[in-house]
């Protein structure tokens, strides 16, 4: 699947540590990125962020609220009340590639787009989806992710919050062993070849 070239722009570890600190995160801690599209489910995501903040094994949380202003305001209120630790609450933004690079794992639905973007960013996935509740194309994504050990499928926020750094590191190794997705660059080369061939026929 084609992924925007911005997801291939790499930052150094030092730069990523600085970005995490800039957003109030622990520079060296395991970082979860929660991403459920432009309108994430308020109650579920709010509960998940709270559970991640309360983990015994310290972890950062980057919560992408998209256009869900209610979710964003709820989380900011909790943050100001001191209820959320190591949490970045992000509204609608064009910096998704940067936040994925800042993260160690992406939590979300099994959409082909976000899964492809996460894998290009070398992030494994925690995908929410009971098999009877996802669309056919998402079911295919779930199966592929599991077969390639690029992530795990869960059905509850409790399962997500219980995942350990060791599990995430193992999944990360599997992601790095996958054949790199260079489709966007190969597509440009293919188009050039088509144009050249067309010119030669004239």
């Amino acid at each position: 699947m084609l992924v925007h070239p911005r997801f291939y722009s790499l930052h150094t570890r030092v730069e990523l540590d600085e970005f995490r600190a800039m957003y109030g995160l622990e520079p060296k801690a395991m970082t979860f990125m929660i991403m459920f599209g432009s309108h994430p489910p308020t109650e579920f995501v709010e509960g998940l962020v709270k559970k991640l903040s309360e983990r015994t094994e310290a972890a950062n949380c980057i919560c992408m609220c998209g256009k869900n202003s209610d979710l964003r305001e709820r989380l900011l209120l909790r943050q100001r009340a001191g209820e959320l630790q190591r949490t970045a609450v992000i509204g609608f933004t064009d910096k998704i590639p940067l936040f994925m690079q800042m993260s160690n794992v992406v939590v979300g639905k099994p959409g082909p787009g976000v899964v492809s973007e996460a894998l290009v960013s070398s992030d494994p996935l925690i995908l929410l989806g009971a098999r009877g509740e996802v669309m056919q194309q998402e079911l295919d994504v779930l199966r592929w992710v599991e077969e390639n050990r690029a992530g795990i499928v869960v059905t509850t926020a409790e399962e997500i919050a219980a995942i350990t750094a060791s599990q995430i590191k193992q999944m990360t190794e599997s992601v790095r062993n996958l054949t790199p997705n260079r489709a966007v660059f190969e597509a440009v080369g293919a188009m050039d070849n088509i144009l050249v061939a067309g010119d030669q026929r004239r």
Side-chain angles (χ1 to χ4, degrees):
M1 184 171 182
L2 295 180
V3 174
H4 196 286
R6 289 176 59 207
F7 286 89
Y8 295 85
S9 300
L10 299 179
H11 294 281
T12 66
R13 288 187 179 181
V14 172
E15 289 173 332
L16 293 175
D17 285 349
E18 290 174 349
F19 284 130
R20 292 187 193 102
M22 186 187 308
Y23 283 93
L25 305 175
E26 173 60 42
K28 301 295 184 183
M30 186 68 64
T31 303
F32 289 73
M33 178 181 182
I34 302 175
M35 186 171 174
F36 283 90
S38 60
H39 291 88
T42 303
E43 299 292 339
F44 178 83
V45 173
E46 182 181 11
L48 173 58
V49 172
K50 192 169 185 300
K51 289 181 185 302
L52 288 173
S53 180
E54 295 170 348
R55 278 168 53 102
T56 302
E57 186 180 34
N60 295 322
C61 177
I62 300 174
C63 183
M64 312 306 297
C65 299
K67 297 179 180 179
N68 187 337
S69 57
D70 181 39
L71 171 63
R72 182 171 179 273
E73 288 304 315
R74 286 194 192 194
L75 293 176
L76 289 174
L77 281 173
R78 285 184 177 275
Q79 197 170 51
R80 286 193 286 269
E83 297 179 21
L84 301 180
Q85 308 300 319
R86 302 174 303 279
T87 300
V89 180
I90 310 297
F92 190 76
T93 179
D94 62 356
K95 295 181 180 178
I96 300 297
L98 171 61
F99 289 120
M100 278 199 175
Q101 285 194 40
M102 289 167 58
S103 304
N104 299 103
V105 62
V106 175
V107 181
K109 292 183 67 178
V114 68
V115 169
S116 297
E117 292 164 355
L119 295 178
V120 163
S121 304
S122 297
D123 290 338
L125 297 128
I126 302 172
L127 300 176
L128 185 72
R131 294 191 182 280
E133 300 175 6
V134 297
M135 295 182 288
Q136 181 59 45
Q137 65 268 29
E138 293 179 335
L139 185 60
D140 293 338
V141 172
L142 289 179
R143 186 181 300 113
W144 186 93
V145 167
E146 287 186 308
E147 288 175 353
N148 288 275
R149 300 180 180 178
I152 58 176
V153 179
V154 299
T155 56
T156 68
E158 288 77 12
E159 289 178 89
I160 297 169
I163 290 170
T164 65
S166 177
Q167 287 176 280
I168 293 171
K169 287 177 182 177
Q170 290 177 359
M171 292 188 291
T172 301
E173 287 301 312
S174 297
V175 169
R176 289 175 177 167
N177 288 330
L178 294 172
T179 302
N181 177 0
R182 307 290 295 177
V184 66
F185 305 109
E186 294 165 358
V188 172
M191 288 300 298
D192 286 342
N193 291 337
I194 292 171
L195 293 173
V196 170
D199 289 339
Q200 291 175 343
R201 293 194 191 98
R202 293 176 182 174

